[in-house]
Amino acid sequence: MERVLVTGGTGFVGQSIVSALVSAGYDVIAGARTLQPWMPVRTVQFDMRDERSVDAVVRSVKPAVIINSAALSSTSLCEQKPDEALEVNYKGVERLLASADSNGSFLVQISTESVLLGKPALQDEDVPLPERAYTVYGETKRLAEVAVRQRT
């Protein structure tokens, strides 16, 4: 059974991913900023803003796959704290990519339609992303998408 680390696993999107993976028979571990005893799977604590924290979790969990749903997702908070949004939503993904590479894990990045300028659509991976998103949240997620595409 493959082990999957779902970062942001206690969030809205992450919980749905965890539930689907558990139902499909995967060995799932949820990564989050704070431990959540109510989760139906083991939860590990880490901080996307801290390289050592990210790497320590990936090294200890040893996942075959990392699904990243972690984000500073409040668009208003991202507008108020753009540096923090950049640290979590973009640089945090860079940290995950580095840890995934050094630990032999495959990273799946979860994104949002905000990257596509708020236009809901399925995005073909071969279609270039917009040059810039309208919001700080969308822009930090767009930068993360670019980073992941460049690594794969």
Side-chain angles (χ1 to χ4, degrees), residues 27-147:
D27 176 17
V28 182
I29 297 173
R33 262 186 321 206
T34 57
L35 295 177
Q36 302 297 335
W38 49 265
M39 285 294 292
V41 297
R42 184 174 136 217
T43 306
V44 292
Q45 188 173 12
F46 81 109
D47 186 342
M48 290 283 284
R49 299 168 296 183
D50 182 342
E51 181 178 356
R52 284 180 279 174
S53 176
V54 170
D55 195 53
V57 164
V58 174
R59 275 188 289 111
S60 70
V61 170
K62 297 176 180 49
V65 176
I66 301 167
I67 299 177
N68 180 39
S69 67
L72 185 60
S73 59
S74 165
T75 55
S76 60
L77 187 57
C78 288
E79 294 297 326
Q80 294 167 12
K81 298 183 175 186
D83 292 341
E84 187 173 347
L86 191 68
E87 274 298 316
V88 174
N89 297 347
Y90 167 58
K91 292 180 181 176
V93 172
E94 287 278 353
R95 293 178 190 103
L96 275 176
L97 280 165
S99 292
D101 286 349
S102 64
N103 290 284
S105 303
F106 182 80
L107 178 70
V108 176
Q109 173 67 17
I110 302 296
S111 203
T112 170
E113 66 188 36
S114 294
V115 171
L116 304 173
L117 306 175
K119 298 174 186 167
L122 293 175
Q123 178 71 16
D124 185 323
E125 290 181 7
D126 296 326
V127 174
L129 290 170
E131 290 295 316
R132 181 132 179 97
Y134 287 133
T135 64
V136 171
Y137 172 75
E139 180 60 10
T140 59
K141 295 295 278 186
R142 187 192 71 80
L143 290 169
E145 285 285 328
V146 170

